[in-house]
């Protein structure tokens, strides 16, 4: 009883902390240059629609991959609840060091769909696969410049090599530390998921290209496939909340190397981050609150059935 009481208040404290962090992040956004970013999209016309479609394709692809990986580690979610749990991670976008993934793992537990250990292990596997996919796309983009027809082979070789590397690392780790079983890295399904995540990174890069393609400078599509994923991964790797500041700076440096003027650069980076980062935070909160509502109803139903059982 005391454990449940403590867990309830610990979760409430974490929820309030998440709300405070989100409120602070939103205040930073509104005191920034968001008006210029919005003005960019208002002028963008068809570009806006194209980027939104690309972002939604990436979202649904990523959700399907997440659902499958969570299934591999024991989560059993109906599709509707699964999508809500997936979207809840966006409520934690402003948490440092990818801690938003803990919010999503906790959503699975609250929905009664699996254990926290399995859910967080799946999130760890997804982080590894995402990094592998980013490296594969980098290799593919570089190969495209030299020998375009070798791109599929180059990306496949990188994925195979990295999966083999993590298989080898898993063997070296003590069993207690090897949360992900060795057999996981050898499966064809794991290779397929890494390949699909690579496609998702390509969609992100293409979105960035659509934003900046009409600006002065020399950006090409294959360069956008490198710049956007690499900078997002590096920005997240800094541990800063949402990579705020780091991602914008890295994108700015990349565009300056490609001779995009500073005035246009700030405009484009702000517009890109608005669509791929900021607007998803409120959607994540809607999903998280919906998850909480389902979890409370589930708890009430369980309590009611328990009372009925005691009465009988």
């Amino acid at each position: 009883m005391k454990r449940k009481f403590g867990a309830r208040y610990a979760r409430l404290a974490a929820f309030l902390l998440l709300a405070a962090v989100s409120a602070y992040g939103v205040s930073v956004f509104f005191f920034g240059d968001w008006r210029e970013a919005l003005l960019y999209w208002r002028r963008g016309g068809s570009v806006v629609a194209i980027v939104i479609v690309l972002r939604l394709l990436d979202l649904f692809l990523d959700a399907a991959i997440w659902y499958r990986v969570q299934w591999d580690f024991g989560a059993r979610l109906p599709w509707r609840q699964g999508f809500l749990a997936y979207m809840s991670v966006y409520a934690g976008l402003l948490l440092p060091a990818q801690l938003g993934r803990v919010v999503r793992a906790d959503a699975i537990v609250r929905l009664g769909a699996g254990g926290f250990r399995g859910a967080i292990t799946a999130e760890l596997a997804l982080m590894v696969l995402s990094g592998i996919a980013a490296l594969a796309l980098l290799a593919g983009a570089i190969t495209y410049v030299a020998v375009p027809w070798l791109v599929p082979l180059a990306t496949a070789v990188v994925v195979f090599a990295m999966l083999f590397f993590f298989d080898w690392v898993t063997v070296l780790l003590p069993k207690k530390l090897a949360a992900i079983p060795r057999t996981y890295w050898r499966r064809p399904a794991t290779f397929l998921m890494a390949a699909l995540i690579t496609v998702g990174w390509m969609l992100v890069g293409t979105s960035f290209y659509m934003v900046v393609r009409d600006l002065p400078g020399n950006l090409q599509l294959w360069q956008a496939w490198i710049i956007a994923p690499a900078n997002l991964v590096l920005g997240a790797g800094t541990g800063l909340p949402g990579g705020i500041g780091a991602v914008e700076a890295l994108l700015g440096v990349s565009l300056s190397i490609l001779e995009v003027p500073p005035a246009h650069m700030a405009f484009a980076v702000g517009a890109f981050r608005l669509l791929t980062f900021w607007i998803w935070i409120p959607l994540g909160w809607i999903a998280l609150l919906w998850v909480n509502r389902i979890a409370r109803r589930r708890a009430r139903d369980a309590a009611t059935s328990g009372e009925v059982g005691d009465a009988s």
Side-chain angles (χ1 to χ4, degrees), residues 36 40 208 211-219 248 251-270:
E36 290 187 353
Y40 177 94
F208 183 65
V211 172
V212 301
R213 65 172 183 166
D214 292 330
L215 300 181
N218 301 312
L219 182 70
E248 287 80 0
L251 288 173
V253 169
S254 300
L255 289 177
S256 65
I257 293 172
L258 295 169
E259 301 178 357
V260 176
H264 294 281
M265 182 195 311
F267 208 53
V269 170

Side-chain angles (χ1 to χ4, degrees), residues 193-212:
M193 283 183 285
L196 290 174
I197 295 172
T198 306
V199 174
W201 279 126
M202 290 176 68
L203 292 171
V204 172
T206 304
S207 299
F208 183 65
Y209 173 76
M210 294 303 299
V211 172
V212 301

Side-chain angles (χ1 to χ4, degrees), residues 8-292:
R8 183 184 304 170
Y9 278 91
R11 184 175 277 120
L12 176 60
F15 184 84
L16 293 175
L17 178 62
L18 177 60
V21 170
S22 297
Y24 172 75
V26 170
S27 69
V28 170
F29 169 72
F30 277 106
F31 282 109
D33 57 355
W34 62 274
R35 292 178 186 84
E36 290 187 353
L38 286 174
L39 182 61
Y40 177 94
W41 288 116
R42 201 175 299 160
R43 292 173 178 171
S46 60
V47 175
V48 178
I50 293 171
V51 174
I52 289 174
V53 169
L54 290 171
R55 185 66 186 93
L56 288 174
L57 286 173
D58 176 44
L59 176 76
F60 290 123
L61 177 62
D62 191 51
I65 294 168
W66 172 83
Y67 188 92
R68 172 56 199 266
V69 174
Q70 285 290 352
W71 183 276
D72 289 339
F73 288 91
R76 296 295 181 264
L77 285 158
W79 275 103
R80 179 187 164 193
Q81 292 186 10
F83 188 70
L84 289 173
Y86 166 80
M87 288 295 295
S88 69
V89 74
Y90 292 109
L93 276 181
L94 291 168
L95 292 174
Q98 295 283 303
L99 287 176
R101 294 179 180 272
V102 178
V103 175
R104 193 158 58 182
D106 183 65
I108 289 175
V109 176
R110 297 203 69 201
L111 292 170
F116 183 78
R117 179 176 177 140
I120 206 67
T121 301
E123 295 290 349
L124 175 62
L126 277 165
M127 289 176 63
V128 172
L129 290 175
S130 185
I132 290 173
L135 285 175
L137 183 56
L138 173 63
I142 294 172
T143 305
Y144 177 80
V145 180
V147 191
W149 61 271
L150 278 179
V151 169
L153 178 62
T155 54
V157 166
V158 170
V159 172
F160 271 123
M162 292 305 298
L163 290 178
F164 177 80
F165 170 75
F166 280 100
D167 178 76
W168 174 71
V169 168
T170 304
V171 174
L172 297 180
L173 287 174
K175 288 186 178 180
K176 290 184 178 180
L177 294 179
I180 303 172
R182 179 183 181 186
T183 53
Y184 187 78
W185 304 114
R186 303 185 211 162
R187 305 180 319 154
T190 304
F191 175 84
L192 177 60
M193 283 183 285
L196 290 174
I197 295 172
T198 306
V199 174
W201 279 126
M202 290 176 68
L203 292 171
V204 172
T206 304
S207 299
F208 183 65
Y209 173 76
M210 294 303 299
V211 172
V212 301
R213 65 172 183 166
D214 292 330
L215 300 181
N218 301 312
L219 182 70
Q220 299 180 43
L221 179 58
W222 68 269
Q223 293 170 322
W225 285 348
I226 296 175
I227 291 172
N231 288 335
L232 290 174
V233 170
L234 290 172
T238 63
L240 292 171
I244 296 174
V247 172
E248 287 80 0
L250 290 167
L251 288 173
V253 169
S254 300
L255 289 177
S256 65
I257 293 172
L258 295 169
E259 301 178 357
V260 176
H264 294 281
M265 182 195 311
F267 208 53
V269 170
F272 176 70
R273 287 288 274 170
L274 174 64
L275 190 63
T276 59
F277 181 81
W278 288 107
I279 68 170
W280 297 99
I281 294 173
L283 295 177
W285 269 100
I286 291 170
L288 180 59
L289 292 172
W290 205 335
V291 166
N292 289 342

